Amino acid sequence: MVDTFLFDWGGTLMRDFPDAQGKMCNWEFVEVVDGAEKALSHISETRKIYIATSAEDSTESDIEKAFERVGLNKYISGYFCKANVGLGKGTPEFYQAILAILGKEPDNVAMVGDSLQKDIVPAAEVGIETYWLTVRPETGVPRSTRIIGSLGELCA
């Protein structure tokens, strides 16, 4: 049974602005993705939530500051990134390291993300339940992946 959710950061919970420079916590403007607070509030009632991000230049503290700016930090139990995992996201090893840190088996964890290659495929390879947030499904989606068009679908 899934008791822990991992969420991608940019593009999944907070908008990624391609023209913004530097760390998101220092951007002039930050914004949540539609339905993010409702989904996190709902899930956090019964499960732990962590962020699993590919942010290369942000530390755990930087990521938390960005979440504080939009009020989502109250739902998050921790943040995983290259700086504290020691591996970049997009590989099964990144997710295996998170499982080891959390002391969880893959079937107790779900991953929600908007990148098929960085979020979904490597998480599914280690047995984590996956939810792909997309409005344009592609081929090559792991069989067990649930495709969602909005974060609100996680509340159903």
Side-chain angles (χ1 to χ4, degrees):
M1 179 182 158
V2 171
D3 61 12
T4 302
F5 269 76
L6 303 174
F7 277 84
D8 172 55
W9 179 17
T12 300
L13 292 176
M14 292 177 69
R15 296 215 188 279
D16 226 345
F17 296 106
D19 295 334
Q21 299 293 314
K23 299 175 181 188
M24 190 185 286
C25 66
N26 296 328
W27 291 359
E28 183 177 338
F29 181 74
V30 290
E31 182 178 81
V32 299
V33 169
D34 291 339
E37 181 156 17
K38 181 179 178 184
L40 294 180
S41 174
H42 176 77
I43 292 167
S44 70
E45 290 176 5
T46 56
R47 299 172 178 102
K48 294 279 190 182
I49 298 172
Y50 294 87
I51 301 304
T53 179
S54 59
E56 298 259 334
D57 61 344
S58 295
T59 65
E60 184 176 358
S61 175
D62 294 331
I63 299 163
E64 185 172 13
K65 285 176 190 171
F67 276 88
E68 286 174 1
R69 288 186 62 193
V70 294
L72 295 180
N73 60 306
K74 61 189 168 200
Y75 305 112
I76 312 298
S77 296
Y79 305 85
F80 296 108
C81 57
K82 186 175 184 177
N84 65 357
V85 174
L87 299 164
K89 187 175 166 189
T91 65
E93 292 80 14
F94 178 80
Y95 292 97
Q96 289 168 333
I98 292 173
L99 291 172
I101 292 166
L102 293 175
K104 297 284 182 186
E105 293 297 321
D107 56 352
N108 297 126
V109 179
M111 174 67 196
V112 181
D114 67 327
S115 170
L116 181 62
Q117 297 308 316
K118 287 185 176 183
D119 301 325
I120 304 308
V121 171
E125 283 181 23
V126 299
I128 292 173
E129 185 175 308
T130 51
Y131 294 83
W132 185 25
L133 177 63
T134 185
V135 292
R136 290 186 213 105
E138 306 168 18
T139 59
V141 180
R143 181 178 296 149
S144 61
T145 296
R146 295 180 192 168
I147 297 173
I148 57 173
S150 71
L151 292 172
E153 293 178 47
L154 296 171
C155 300

